[in-house]
Amino acid sequence: MWIIFAILSAVFAALTSILAKIGIDGVNSNLATAIRTVVVVVMAWGMVFLTHAESGIKEISSKSWIFLILSGLATGASWLCYYKALQMGEASKVVPIDKLSVVITLILAFVFLHEEFTIKSVIGCVLIAAGTLVMVL
């Protein structure tokens, strides 16, 4: 089931890029990010209440709170930079560079989470990086 959600995530991420590029025309990128964020917040809390998950908030540990907040700050920084880049550049070039996050995530997962870095991972990272260069240059 996770693969279906992963594919849907990719489809919605692609739609996000195209819809954002169209919508950001003539709009300050920070304002556009704020508008997008409000929509995401309403949608996320809507799902929490729809699935009756709000009771779990009391069970979140201090460590989880800290890392979820840090993750939120990283997301905010990413979105602000992404919208600025999308406003200034072509979507067909901004998006592949943004997807280098896959390579960076694999490296960070190896360093900080001690996840396995296999020959497949290395080859995949090299191919993603090379593909990004080919698409952007």
Side-chain angles (χ1 to χ4, degrees):
M1 190 67 176
W2 67 266
I3 195 139
I4 293 170
F5 284 110
I7 292 167
L8 287 171
S9 173
V11 170
F12 287 125
L15 282 171
T16 297
S17 302
I18 300 305
L19 296 170
K21 182 64 179 174
I22 295 167
I24 203 167
D25 188 36
V27 179
N28 176 281
S29 63
N30 295 326
L31 177 60
T33 303
I35 292 168
R36 174 188 181 194
T37 302
V38 168
V39 172
V40 171
V41 166
V42 169
M43 187 174 166
W45 278 107
M47 288 303 296
V48 166
F49 290 115
L50 186 70
T51 60
H52 306 288
E54 65 275 4
S55 63
I57 201 164
K58 299 175 207 151
E59 300 164 14
I60 300 174
S61 69
S62 296
K63 177 184 174 186
S64 289
W65 271 111
I66 290 167
F67 281 94
L68 289 171
I69 289 167
L70 290 172
S71 174
L73 291 170
T75 298
S78 171
W79 287 1
L80 289 167
C81 293
Y82 178 76
Y83 264 61
K84 189 65 174 175
L86 199 57
Q87 187 173 53
M88 297 169 69
E90 298 173 32
S92 60
K93 293 189 188 314
V94 170
V95 173
I97 293 171
D98 177 64
K99 297 309 171 197
L100 278 176
S101 63
V102 172
V103 174
I104 296 166
T105 299
L106 290 172
I107 293 167
L108 293 175
F110 173 74
V111 172
F112 294 108
L113 303 177
H114 309 291
E115 291 186 4
E116 190 175 346
F117 213 50
T118 64
I119 191 68
K120 265 187 353 185
S121 303
V122 172
I123 291 170
C125 283
V126 169
L127 289 173
I128 290 170
T132 299
L133 284 174
V134 168
M135 291 175 76
V136 173
L137 298 178

